[in-house]
């Protein structure tokens, strides 16, 4: 299976704190993307980082990519209750358009 | 512009029946992919269509099939339903099939097989 793994599986923090989740994957990639899912609904795209990039920012989100370790991390700064959701990393292989999703991190932000 | 629309949102079927799910991608997007999400297996790729052609297929039995129409709308069909087919089925549309862009997901169809 090419499915990645994320850790932690679940994370609970206080509003205002930072949340970090990690993703490891198995094969060479074109890019890696992070998505958010609220309670069994559709996935919302957060950020895309290409294999030749090491770090990317978008608002309160910071993503890093280490292709030598086949790992990525997502940092959400100054978390809000509205950030409560499941977060998935998805890798896109060198050829093809299919995503291989990680197992997800369930984030709970306590007001 | 309108997002990805999946219909129906919820469906209850009996074992052995078949089901057809529909997905209308974002206007201008020609790539449509389907994913199955279950608590045990997570999100798994079913297949991708681009310009009415299946470009890629995941590791699912032949009971799972799909097609894409000339207007890029896509349908997936599951025949001879099994209890294990109960899942959230997600459709994603993207501009290209090269894998270099983000995907936009619909809200999903929640299929329950009883």
């Amino acid at each position: 299976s090419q499915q990645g793994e994320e850790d932690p599986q679940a994370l609970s923090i206080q509003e205002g704190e930072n949340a970090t989740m990690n993703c490891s994957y198995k094969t060479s990639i074109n890019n890696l993307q992070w998505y958010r899912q609220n309670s069994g609904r559709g996935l919302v795209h957060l950020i895309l980082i290409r294999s030749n990039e090491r770090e990317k920012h978008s608002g309160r989100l910071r993503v890093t990519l280490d292709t030598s370790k086949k790992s990525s991390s997502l940092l959400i700064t100054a978390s809000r209750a509205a950030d409560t959701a499941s977060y998935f990393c998805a890798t896109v292989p060198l050829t093809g358009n299919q995503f291989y999703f990680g197992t997800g991190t369930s984030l709970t932000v306590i007001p | 512009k309108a997002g990805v629309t999946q219909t129906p949102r919820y469906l209850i079927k009996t074992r052995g029946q078949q089901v057809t799910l529909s997905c209308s991608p974002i206007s201008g997007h020609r790539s449509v992919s389907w994913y199955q999400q279950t608590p045990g297996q997570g999100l798994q790729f079913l297949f991708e269509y681009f310009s009415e052609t299946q470009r890629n297929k995941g590791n699912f039995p032949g009971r799972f099939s799909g097609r894409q129409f000339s207007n890029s709308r896509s349908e997936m069909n599951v025949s001879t339903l099994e209890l294990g087919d109960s899942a959230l089925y997600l459709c994603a549309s993207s501009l290209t099939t090269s894998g270099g862009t983000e995907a936009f997901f619909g809200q999903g169809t929640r299929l329950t097989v009883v």
Side-chain angles (χ1 to χ4, degrees):
Chain A
S1 167
Q2 298 190 50
Q3 188 174 35
E5 289 197 11
E6 291 178 61
D7 82 274
Q9 283 191 314
L11 182 59
S12 184
I13 59 174
Q14 297 288 330
E15 204 166 30
E17 293 181 336
N18 295 343
T20 300
M21 46 206 91
N22 304 293
C23 167
S24 60
Y25 58 92
K26 298 178 183 176
T27 62
S28 297
I29 61 171
N30 175 320
N31 64 77
L32 184 146
Q33 304 184 29
W34 285 89
Y35 286 83
R36 184 185 76 228
Q37 184 178 40
N38 288 87
S39 193
R41 304 188 69 183
L43 285 86
V44 175
H45 180 263
L46 295 175
I47 198 162
L48 180 157
I49 186 165
R50 302 193 186 282
S51 60
N52 62 352
E53 297 175 310
R54 291 296 164 258
E55 189 171 309
K56 209 157 179 184
H57 296 253
S58 176
R60 294 184 297 114
L61 306 179
R62 173 180 168 251
V63 167
T64 62
L65 178 65
D66 187 334
T67 53
S68 66
K69 294 182 179 176
K70 290 187 168 57
S71 68
S72 175
S73 68
L74 170 67
L75 167 69
I76 303 173
T77 60
S79 62
R80 305 166 182 167
D83 294 329
T84 294
S86 292
Y87 291 81
F88 294 89
C89 67
T91 55
V92 179
L94 293 175
T95 57
N97 199 27
Q98 69 273 26
F99 289 7
Y100 294 101
F101 283 92
T103 47
T105 293
S106 176
L107 173 66
T108 301
V109 181
I110 303 164
Chain B
K1 84 178 137 174
V4 179
T5 303
Q6 288 190 247
T7 56
R9 289 292 310 279
Y10 301 92
L11 208 46
I12 300 176
K13 289 286 189 179
T14 305
R15 258 184 311 175
Q17 287 187 312
Q18 75 162 15
V19 68
T20 299
L21 313 182
S22 178
C23 172
S24 292
I26 289 173
S27 177
H29 285 194
R30 293 163 63 193
S31 170
V32 174
S33 300
W34 289 89
Y35 293 83
Q36 180 197 64
Q37 186 177 27
T38 59
Q41 299 296 318
L43 281 149
Q44 293 194 296
F45 171 75
L46 281 156
F47 27 65
E48 185 212 0
Y49 286 86
F50 183 82
S51 294
E52 301 178 65
T53 302
Q54 186 180 89
R55 297 296 294 260
N56 219 332
K57 190 177 191 320
N59 189 26
F60 279 81
R63 300 185 297 106
F64 291 82
S65 63
R67 59 178 175 167
Q68 187 180 33
F69 302 94
S70 58
N71 62 358
S72 293
R73 190 177 71 84
S74 176
E75 289 181 347
M76 69 163 277
N77 184 77
V78 188
S79 62
T80 321
L81 284 165
E82 300 176 0
L83 295 179
D85 296 333
S86 294
L88 180 66
Y89 289 88
L90 293 164
C91 161
S93 85
S94 50
L95 203 51
T96 71
T97 189
S98 66
T101 60
E102 66 189 277
F104 295 83
F105 283 80
Q107 292 298 297
T109 294
R110 171 78 60 186
L111 171 65
T112 303
V113 182
V114 297

